[in-house]
Amino acid sequence: MEFVDRLYELYKDKLTGDEEDAFIIIEGIMESFTARDVNQLFHDLPEPERFDMLALYLYEKFRQKLAEEGIGQTKNRDDGHIKFYH
């Protein structure tokens, strides 16, 4: 994605390789976006990138829901009231 490539070039000398770097940069950029900017960015993407972006968003939201509900958490055997599903 051209936008990400340009963003990377702008910040690459300031990055530590920590995932948090990316989040801080993206969050800062998004704060200045209007709804029109977001729509234009989405519209300008090739269809496979739009699909990937939406799929990643839905994956993250689903993963967050699983975490909120406690699905897949590892429990100790001495937690007698907890059911084991795997």
Side-chain angles (χ1 to χ4, degrees):
M1 172 181 207
E2 185 178 336
F3 178 77
V4 171
D5 292 339
R6 285 187 278 141
L7 196 57
Y8 175 78
E9 284 301 317
L10 185 62
Y11 288 101
K12 72 179 178 183
D13 296 328
K14 297 168 180 60
L15 300 172
T16 64
D18 188 328
E19 187 176 298
E20 195 171 302
D21 286 348
F23 182 76
I24 290 168
I25 290 169
I26 297 301
E27 186 177 45
I29 297 288
M30 292 298 298
E31 285 177 355
S32 67
F33 276 21
T34 64
R36 180 182 228 155
D37 294 331
V38 172
N39 288 336
Q40 188 63 51
L41 181 65
F42 191 76
H43 175 69
D44 290 346
L45 290 174
E47 188 173 335
E49 288 186 16
R50 275 187 293 216
F51 178 86
D52 289 347
M53 186 171 85
L54 184 57
L56 184 57
Y57 171 78
L58 293 173
Y59 164 78
E60 278 299 315
K61 294 309 254 181
F62 190 74
R63 195 178 66 74
Q64 288 172 2
K65 182 66 174 175
L66 291 173
E68 288 170 7
E69 298 295 324
I71 305 296
Q73 290 183 352
T74 303
K75 303 293 182 191
N76 294 326
R77 290 186 189 269
D78 57 356
D79 294 338
H81 63 284
I82 309 258
K83 293 182 181 178
F84 290 93
Y85 294 103
H86 14 14

